[in-house]
Amino acid sequence: MYTRRATLIAGVSLTALVAAGCGSDDASTDATVETPPVSAETTTSVPVPLPGTTGDGFQLPVEGASEDNAFTYDEVAVPVGSSVHLESEGQDGRTTVTFTATGLAPNRDFGVHAHTRPCGPKPSDSGPHYQNDVDPAATPESPSSDPAYANPRNGIWLDVTTDASGNAQASTTVDWEFREGEANSVVLHAQHTMTGPGQAGMAGDRLACINEDF
């Protein structure tokens, strides 16, 4: 069993207990696709604000990122000073990851996924989505978009829609645990994640990144 907790909080006094192929496609679809017999449980809700600990929130990207950095690449969608709380817990071959955000752009969708590499000055620095079973056909130039691999049971997907105050929460549980050192960040994308063949895992531009050593 392991428990990993990482907190990035802005200078606001509110936080909450919470809840791919990453391209810049603008299209979206509501298609659903049969996936392999692995399971995931995902819930979303608006968080109840609780007293928080003041710390670092989203900042503009800089060279030499540390494990505590959270970068915004789009200050309209993810303002400087907005904040997140990430929590990951693995036990008995299962993993639960929760995500809470405060101060994001209000009333808008975000795709949220675990990625393989740490955040950097460029949105692409965080690499592809983390997958439990890695798509053998994926390449750096052509990320995984096969629904057999790009699905919320084979990765960590935490799509959210913010409320009128820019707060959001999501949680997911999957039937596997992270491989040590292979998941290093969480990325916020411009839209909810698509699921259809050839589009699965795509969620638009990368708007922000949080370093998290799972």
Side-chain angles (χ1 to χ4, degrees):
M1 171 178 176
Y2 70 86
T3 299
R4 168 69 180 175
R5 297 176 183 270
T7 307
L8 296 169
I9 305 296
V12 295
S13 61
L14 299 180
T15 188
L17 177 65
V18 224
C22 302
S24 56
D25 295 344
D26 295 327
S28 63
T29 177
D30 293 329
T32 58
V33 179
E34 292 293 329
T35 54
V38 286
S39 64
E41 303 162 9
T42 303
T43 60
T44 60
S45 62
V46 176
V48 178
L50 298 172
T53 302
T54 300
D56 294 329
F58 283 105
Q59 59 184 292
L60 295 177
V62 295
E63 296 285 352
S66 76
E67 65 178 12
D68 295 325
N69 286 137
F71 294 149
T72 176
Y73 308 112
D74 185 323
E75 295 182 69
V76 174
V78 183
V80 170
S82 56
S83 63
V84 294
H85 175 87
L86 293 171
E87 182 176 318
S88 176
E89 182 173 354
Q91 184 176 13
D92 299 329
R94 305 189 84 199
T95 299
T96 297
V97 180
T98 56
F99 168 93
T100 299
T102 61
L104 305 180
N107 302 315
R108 70 156 292 165
D109 296 338
F110 292 88
V112 183
H113 312 120
H115 281 243
T116 60
R117 299 173 188 164
C119 309
K122 297 182 295 183
S124 60
D125 288 341
S126 53
H129 288 173
Y130 179 89
Q131 293 182 332
N132 181 51
D133 295 318
V134 179
D135 185 348
T139 68
E141 295 74 29
S142 181
S144 178
S145 59
D146 180 350
Y149 295 93
N151 64 69
R153 300 164 186 82
N154 194 40
I156 299 297
W157 294 14
L158 294 159
D159 290 8
V160 295
T161 299
T162 56
D163 65 12
S165 297
N167 302 329
Q169 170 186 314
S171 176
T172 187
T173 298
V174 291
D175 290 335
W176 43 264
E177 296 185 50
F178 287 107
R179 295 181 297 276
E180 186 175 358
E182 294 190 30
N184 292 282
S185 62
V186 170
V187 172
L188 277 67
H189 295 266
Q191 63 190 48
H192 281 174
T193 312
M194 295 183 283
T195 57
Q199 299 177 317
M202 296 181 181
D205 291 339
R206 304 182 189 201
L207 305 180
C209 183
I210 308 105
N211 275 323
E212 170 70 355
D213 181 6
F214 290 102

